[in-house]
Each structure stands twice: as C-alpha cells, then as structure tokens.
C-alpha cells in the first residue's frame, strides 16, 4: 500500500470517528459507503477495512448483506452504560495513578487545557470531544489491555451523550460544567501524586456529576439505579 493510500485511510477513519462522536452521524444511521468512496476517492476494499476497524472499536455495526450502521443508543444499551461506567472509570483512574508516565501527564494537562478552552468559547461538540480526549489519555495511562477496549467503547457513548448535556440550559448546569473542569484538575493532581485511593474517589465524584447531567436527557425513571448498582433480576 502506498503512503497516499495509507493517508487516505487514516483521514477516512478520523472523519468517521469524529462524525460519529459528534452525532453528526446519528446513532443508528446507515453509513453511505458510495458517498464516502466518492468523497475520499477510495475503493471498496480499503473502505471496508476502515469500517471493520471502526466496528471492532464499537463505532459501527457490520450487517451481512445490509448497509453498515452507526452503533445505536437504545434504552437497553443505556442501562448497560449506567451500570458499567462507574466501575470502569474507577478502575481506569486507579490504574492511571499507578502506571502514568511523565509524558502522559503532559498529554493529560494539554487535554485539560483544551477542555477549559472549549468550555469558555467552544460549541457543545467541542466540549464533548475535548472531554473525551481527556479521558482517553487516562485510559492510555492505565495501560491495561483487558480494560482499555471496554473503556474506549464506553467513551463513544459518553461523548455522544455529551453533545447534548454540554449545552447548559440553566445556571446549575453551567456550574456543573465548571465543577467538572475542577475535578479534572484534581484528577491530574491525584495521578501525578500516584494516589490511587484519591483517584478512585474522584472517579466516583466525577461520575456522580456526569450522571446527574446525563439523566436529565436520556434516562427514564424506570431505569434509575444507584451508583454502580446492578439491575435486579425480574421474573415472569
């Protein structure tokens, strides 16, 4: 494969990833392969290779003899999201405090600077993507090959939900965004100090704050669950 072909595939991958995370490609939408092929001057084989990569990461779903579809966000997947998120975030931040390298701390501080900039003068999409990058870095710091795929899949839906709740509609919501930024600063300090206990506590605090924002938009009362609790089994 030529260097130009590799670059085209990388550009297509980045384009689709950002379109999905920003919800410009809506959850459940069909992927127009013909339009992408024409836009990026790419043939079917490398296009499908990119789509398979994205499917493996949880962005799209490949369907036999049917169009590729952006991964949906149903009430069932949101239930799983709310159960898994606090446990996974906690594990990631504790491991990040244990394993972080100096260069990764620099990357985390840079991501936080971009997040603060997005809060002050960016769009809701800018804020969601900047927040997503901050947490991506913590996953890289954790460095666990079993945990990272689950965390990355979680971040896809967190970012997509974030395009909604990063549009504050009240003073309280705006204050919560400021509080989230302050928690990011505390997370950086805990990781830099190698304080696993504090990092885990901050994961809970940060999730509690995010959960309150998310519930306003996507979680019906019937799905209400205590922090990190597993849903009760039902019979009949």
């Amino acid at each position: 494969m030529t260097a130009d072909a590799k670059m085209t595939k990388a550009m297509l991958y980045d384009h689709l990833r950002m379109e999905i995370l920003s919800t410009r490609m809506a959850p459940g939408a069909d992927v127009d392969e013909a339009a992408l092929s024409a836009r990026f001057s790419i043939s079917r084989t490398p296009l499908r290779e990119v789509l398979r990569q994205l499917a493996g990461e949880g962005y799209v779903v490949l369907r036999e003899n049917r169009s590729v579809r952006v991964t949906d966000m149903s009430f069932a997947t949101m239930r799983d999201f709310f159960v898994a998120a606090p446990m996974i975030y906690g594990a990631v931040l504790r491991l990040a405090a244990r394993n972080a390298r100096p260069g990764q701390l620099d990357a985390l501080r840079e991501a936080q600077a971009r997040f603060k900039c997005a809060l002050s003068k960016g769009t809701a999409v800018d804020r969601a993507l900047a927040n997503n990058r901050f947490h991506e870095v913590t996953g890289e710091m954790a460095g666990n090959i079993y945990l990272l795929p689950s965390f990355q899949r979680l971040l896809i839906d967190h970012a997509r939900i974030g395009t909604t709740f990063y549009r504050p509609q009240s003073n309280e919501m705006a204050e919560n965004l400021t509080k989230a930024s302050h928690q990011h600063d505390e997370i950086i300090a805990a990781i830099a100090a190698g304080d696993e206990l504090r990092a885990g506590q901050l994961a809970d605090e940060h999730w509690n704050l995010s959960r309150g924002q998310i519930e306003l938009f996507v979680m019906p009362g019937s799905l209400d669950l205590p922090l990190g609790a597993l849903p009760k089994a039902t019979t009949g």
Side-chain angles (χ1 to χ4, degrees):
M1 181 181 295
T2 67
D4 286 345
K6 289 181 180 179
M7 183 177 297
T8 299
K9 285 180 64 176
M11 289 173 59
L12 175 59
Y13 171 85
D14 289 339
H15 167 76
L16 288 172
R17 183 173 176 271
M18 289 299 103
E19 290 296 290
I20 292 168
L21 289 176
S22 67
T23 67
R24 289 188 289 265
M25 291 181 70
D30 290 335
V31 176
D32 190 337
E33 294 183 48
L36 289 170
S37 181
R39 176 174 178 179
F40 287 86
S41 300
I42 192 170
S43 63
R44 177 175 173 78
T45 297
L47 171 59
R48 295 294 293 190
E49 289 172 354
V50 171
L51 291 173
R52 281 194 293 270
Q53 180 181 353
L54 289 166
E57 295 170 359
Y59 290 91
V60 301
V61 176
L62 304 181
R63 303 181 298 165
E64 188 173 359
N65 299 321
R66 301 174 69 185
S67 61
V68 176
R69 177 166 288 178
V70 176
T71 302
D72 206 355
M73 292 173 64
S74 65
F75 286 145
T77 58
M78 286 298 94
R79 176 185 289 275
D80 288 343
F81 176 90
F82 274 83
V83 170
M87 295 183 283
I88 294 175
Y89 277 119
V92 164
L93 288 189
R94 286 191 295 272
L95 285 172
R98 180 186 303 177
N99 299 327
R101 300 188 300 273
Q104 291 175 322
L105 276 167
D106 291 340
L108 192 61
R109 293 186 180 104
E110 180 180 350
Q112 171 64 346
R114 291 180 179 178
F115 179 67
K116 289 180 177 180
C117 182
L119 283 184
S120 65
K121 54 187 179 183
T123 66
V125 169
D126 294 334
R127 294 165 182 173
L129 294 179
N131 180 69
N132 196 64
R133 179 55 190 157
F134 178 89
H135 289 288
E136 280 180 343
V137 177
T138 66
E140 295 164 6
M141 289 173 157
N144 186 289
I145 61 171
Y146 297 101
L147 185 60
L148 188 56
S150 296
F151 185 56
Q152 290 172 331
R153 177 63 186 87
L154 191 78
L155 288 179
I156 293 172
D157 285 349
H158 201 166
R160 294 194 291 180
I161 296 166
T163 62
T164 299
F165 72 70
Y166 276 119
R167 296 184 180 95
Q169 299 174 11
S170 68
N171 288 337
E172 180 182 1
M173 290 175 67
E175 290 171 1
N176 283 344
L177 296 185
T178 300
K179 187 180 295 185
S181 180
H182 291 160
Q183 287 176 345
H184 281 188
D185 289 330
E186 291 184 86
I187 287 168
I188 292 171
I191 292 173
D195 190 339
E196 296 180 43
L197 177 61
R198 181 56 181 152
Q201 292 171 340
L202 285 165
D204 283 348
E205 293 172 14
H206 200 53
W207 168 246
N208 274 328
L209 186 64
S210 294
R211 176 189 167 120
Q213 297 284 82
I214 294 168
E215 284 179 335
L216 294 174
F217 296 97
V218 302
M219 191 171 182
S222 61
L223 292 185
D224 189 33
L225 295 167
L227 175 67
L230 296 173
K232 294 181 180 179
T234 58
T235 59

